[in-house]
Amino acid sequence: MTIRPRRSALYMPASNARAIEKARSLECDVVILDLEDAVAPEQKAAARAQAVAAGGFGHREWVIRANGLDTEWGADDLAAITGAGCDAVLIPKVSDPATLHAAREKLGPGPALWAMIETAQAIVDLRAIGEAAAETGLTAFVVGPNDLAKELRLRPGVDRAPLLPILSQIVTVARAYRIVPLDGVMNAFDDEAAIEAECRQGLAFGFDGKTLIHPNQIAPANRVFAPSDDEVAWAQTIVAAFDAPENVGKGAIKVEGKMVELLHRDDARRTLALAAAIRR
Ligand code: COA
Ligand code: MG
């Protein structure tokens, strides 16, 4: 089982050379060089040139967020990204499968597509977007809470209650179509307890990791989205129990006073594979 950890995905404006250099030694699993919201119009061309030449992030996954194809920069972004060698291109404001097909056509084979889910229309048509994943090489959904709140006129607050039904829909469709769901950013970056709490909420809702805006947020996200020592030990116990001679061929067994089924062994194997990938 191969698993790529995506506990922490750090955005930075691709116009910010200092942030890009810093990212090469930060402990995030994913680096997202942004050409869209975090870059002012007059800096778009310079940011694009810097993003496609960046490379060299070691074990970190290298993602570039392009401008939308409906903007004056989108086509030039994708043309430049084609030869960059990045792992994925994050497409903003994906609201229909046509957007994914258009991006794939411009990029040719090569980087995976990741989709920002951040519009009302995307939520309405989420299933159609998910169905286009295999054909277009779409591998991740990234929640865009700031744009969602703006467009839906939500006022999420600290517990994010108004966003929760939407987060559930995004995770559900992602799982149905084998897409990796990544939770949205938290704008307040000076409050470690708050980011940790929001990561725990994202984990509970089924996300694989969280998108981040500041290096301060990396350690809490890595901690929360990694299997804990207790979870690893329990997973080892389950796998070993099913391997025991007396349990061969059984679908449900008793382990430490609890019923454990084969589905729990599958989950335990995933936990162990993720823990091993993180150690590597
Ligand atoms: N990636 C890499 N490095 C970052 C970073 C990021 N997202 N955010 C801050 N840093 C670096 C700074 O360069 C600084 O490094 P230095 O001490 O070597 O100069 C250090 O971390 C501390 O930064 P700090 O002073 O606390 O923050 P700031 O005022 O420089 O930046 C923001 C604050 C919000 C402007 C910045 O964090 C940022 O640009 N975040 C990403 C925004 C983004 O990409 N948004 C789009 C997606 S929502
Ligand atoms: Mg946005």
Side-chain angles (χ1 to χ4, degrees):
M1 189 183 302
T2 53
I3 284 195
R4 189 149 195 177
R6 295 185 174 106
R7 301 163 296 170
S8 48
L10 179 66
Y11 284 106
M12 63 212 64
S15 49
N16 186 342
R18 193 179 172 89
I20 295 173
E21 277 319 299
K22 207 173 171 79
R24 300 184 196 284
S25 60
L26 294 171
E27 288 303 316
C28 51
D29 291 332
V30 183
V31 171
I32 306 176
L33 304 182
D34 188 26
L35 300 176
E36 198 221 10
D37 286 341
V39 177
E42 51 284 2
Q43 293 186 313
K44 294 285 189 191
R48 178 192 301 133
Q50 194 154 261
V52 301
F57 293 101
H59 62 83
R60 299 163 201 80
E61 209 162 0
W62 171 25
V63 180
I64 300 176
R65 183 165 80 171
N67 290 283
L69 277 173
D70 56 347
T71 69
E72 61 183 283
W73 309 286
D76 289 344
D77 286 350
L78 296 190
I81 290 169
T82 303
C86 60
D87 296 295
V89 183
L90 177 55
I91 308 292
K93 300 184 179 73
V94 172
S95 295
D96 50 37
T99 304
L100 296 174
H101 286 287
R104 176 51 69 203
E105 195 169 308
K106 287 246 176 312
L107 285 166
L113 290 181
W114 289 16
M116 293 296 304
I117 302 299
E118 52 184 349
T119 62
Q121 194 63 48
I123 304 306
V124 172
D125 285 334
L126 208 49
R127 174 180 174 166
I129 296 170
E131 279 172 347
E135 212 181 326
T136 59
L138 170 73
T139 57
F141 277 165
V142 178
V143 180
N146 291 321
D147 278 289
L148 273 172
K150 176 178 166 219
E151 203 179 310
L152 277 67
R153 299 192 197 146
L154 306 178
R155 296 170 191 201
V158 282
D159 64 0
R160 300 199 294 174
L163 260 179
L164 300 183
I166 292 171
L167 298 184
S168 271
Q169 284 187 67
I170 292 172
V171 171
T172 304
V173 173
R175 295 299 174 210
Y177 296 100
R178 304 190 181 286
I179 295 163
V180 169
L182 299 182
D183 199 359
V185 299
M186 176 171 183
N187 297 339
F189 57 78
D190 278 340
D191 185 342
E192 179 152 351
I195 182 75
E196 173 137 5
E198 201 168 289
C199 287
R200 289 207 181 283
Q201 185 187 42
L203 177 77
F205 270 77
F207 287 100
D208 285 336
K210 193 163 176 74
T211 47
L212 310 172
I213 52 160
H214 193 278
N216 283 352
Q217 299 179 320
I218 296 172
N222 283 351
R223 204 158 51 232
V224 170
F225 286 100
S228 68
D229 292 347
D230 285 353
E231 284 167 336
V232 170
W234 178 237
Q236 284 164 339
T237 302
I238 290 174
V239 171
F242 273 106
D243 284 345
E246 65 272 22
N247 290 330
V248 168
K250 289 190 184 162
I253 58 175
K254 179 174 141 183
V255 181
E256 295 178 11
K258 294 194 192 92
M259 178 191 75
V260 174
E261 298 178 310
L262 285 170
L263 70 94
H264 297 111
R265 184 182 63 179
D266 295 343
D267 204 36
R269 284 180 174 159
R270 197 188 59 80
T271 297
L272 296 176
L274 178 59
I278 289 168
R279 275 198 306 277
R280 278 199 297 276

